[in-house]
């Protein structure tokens, strides 16, 4: 992370944005369950809000210094901070009820690695579990903000097919000044089975669109 991030990400203004504009929107209609994995927590703006809404939160951070600092905030309680790379998760299949990643994917240098992280999120989610995420949209300002840092914003128009290709279903993508997404791992219920949970799937009894 460059100096710009070092100032912004731990700031109250950033926490306000994540905790009042992003997370309430993403979680309004979903159940996070008991076990949440947060990928790329940084200084913990989302961690602090989410930890009150689940039984256990595992925060996986690739930068050891950032991980150690965040772990120092939560010596006891329900947050476990782990240093590691989200492209290679050390957790078994189906081990989390929910996975969250916020303002993080654009820091992953290639689309292939971003897909690997999303695929790992899918793998560790239990059937019926949910991935929630957000990211900044590409802009000149954002590019300048990332001077000497990784800058690889996701293209929201391709996100649906990327998530579907990985197996996610019941997908909601919102694009305003940022991109927000909610995507479920199929559980075979509600016409959303392992093979038919894509956005374009239509169970037999669903009325044809008028
Ligand atoms: C811009 S910060 C966002 C922090 C926090 N999610 C927020 O919204 O305030 C992105 C974070 O993702 C972490 N990160 C980047 N690549 C990662 C990876 N492959 N695995 C885990 N964390 C990663 C970075 O070290 C950084 O702390």
């Amino acid at each position: 992370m460059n100096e710009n991030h070092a100032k912004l990400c731990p700031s109250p203004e950033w926490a306000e944005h994540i905790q009042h504009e992003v997370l309430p929107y993403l979680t309004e209609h979903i159940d996070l369950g008991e076990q949440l994995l947060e990928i790329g927590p940084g200084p913990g703006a989302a961690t602090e809000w989410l930890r009150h809404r689940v039984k256990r939160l595992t925060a996986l951070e690739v930068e050891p210094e950032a991980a150690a600092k965040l772990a120092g905030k939560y010596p006891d309680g329900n947050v476990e901070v782990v240093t590691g790379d989200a492209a290679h998760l050390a957790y078994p299949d189906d081990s989390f009820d929910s996975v969250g990643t916020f303002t993080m994917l654009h820091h992953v240098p290639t689309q292939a690695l971003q897909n690997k992280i999303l695929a790992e999120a899918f793998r560790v989610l239990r059937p019926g579990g949910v991935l929630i995420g957000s990211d900044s949209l590409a802009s000149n300002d954002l590019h300048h903000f990332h001077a000497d840092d990784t800058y690889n914003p996701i293209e929201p128009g391709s996100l649906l097919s990327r998530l579907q290709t990985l197996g996610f279903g019941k997908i909601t993508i919102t694009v305003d000044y940022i991109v927000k997404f909610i995507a479920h791992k199929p559980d075979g219920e509600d016409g959303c089975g392992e093979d038919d949970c894509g956005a374009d799937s239509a169970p037999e009894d669903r009325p044809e669109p008028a």
Side-chain angles (χ1 to χ4, degrees):
M1 300 294 105
N2 68 12
E3 275 306 304
N4 292 328
H5 291 85
K7 278 188 203 137
L8 180 67
C9 294
S11 71
E13 293 74 22
W14 184 252
E16 167 83 16
H17 161 68
I18 291 284
Q19 296 176 5
H20 290 100
E21 294 174 34
V22 178
L23 294 173
Y25 180 91
L26 284 171
T27 57
E28 190 179 0
H29 300 297
I30 58 150
D31 180 4
L32 291 172
E34 294 191 349
Q35 304 283 339
L36 166 74
L37 172 67
E38 185 190 357
I39 292 171
T47 317
E48 180 52 32
W49 193 90
L50 288 166
R51 78 185 179 98
H52 298 291
R53 286 154 178 91
V54 291
K55 192 167 176 189
R56 183 152 192 82
L57 190 159
T58 304
L60 184 91
E61 170 56 53
V62 77
E63 287 190 4
E65 207 177 308
K69 205 165 176 185
L70 186 62
K73 274 192 190 173
Y74 303 113
D76 309 308
N78 68 338
V79 177
E80 181 190 16
V81 182
V82 177
T83 306
D85 179 358
H88 305 280
L89 294 179
Y91 303 103
D93 297 357
D94 307 345
S95 44
F96 292 93
D97 300 304
S98 49
V99 175
T101 183
F102 315 99
T103 331
M104 178 270 180
L105 285 169
H106 70 272
H107 280 276
V108 177
T110 66
Q111 182 162 318
L113 267 178
Q114 291 174 344
N115 287 343
K116 180 78 169 74
I117 288 170
L118 293 170
E120 280 288 83
F122 183 86
R123 183 182 67 74
V124 301
L125 274 175
R126 66 160 171 78
V130 63
L131 168 71
I132 57 174
S134 65
D135 209 351
S136 311
L137 293 175
S139 71
N140 283 339
D141 283 351
L142 191 71
H143 200 169
H144 287 132
F145 189 86
H146 287 74
D148 301 321
D149 203 339
T150 305
Y151 174 72
N152 184 29
I154 54 173
E155 207 283 291
S158 63
L159 186 58
L160 174 62
S161 57
R162 287 172 69 182
L163 291 167
Q164 283 181 310
T165 300
L166 294 170
F168 285 102
K170 282 200 287 181
I171 299 168
T172 305
I173 298 173
T174 304
V175 183
D176 41 38
Y177 65 103
I178 59 173
V179 56
K180 299 186 271 286
F181 53 94
I182 301 166
H184 293 79
K185 181 165 176 173
D187 66 357
E189 291 178 9
D190 301 326
C192 186
E194 302 240 337
D195 297 326
D196 65 355
C197 201
D200 61 352
S201 66
E204 294 298 310
D205 56 354
R206 187 179 297 166
E208 288 298 317

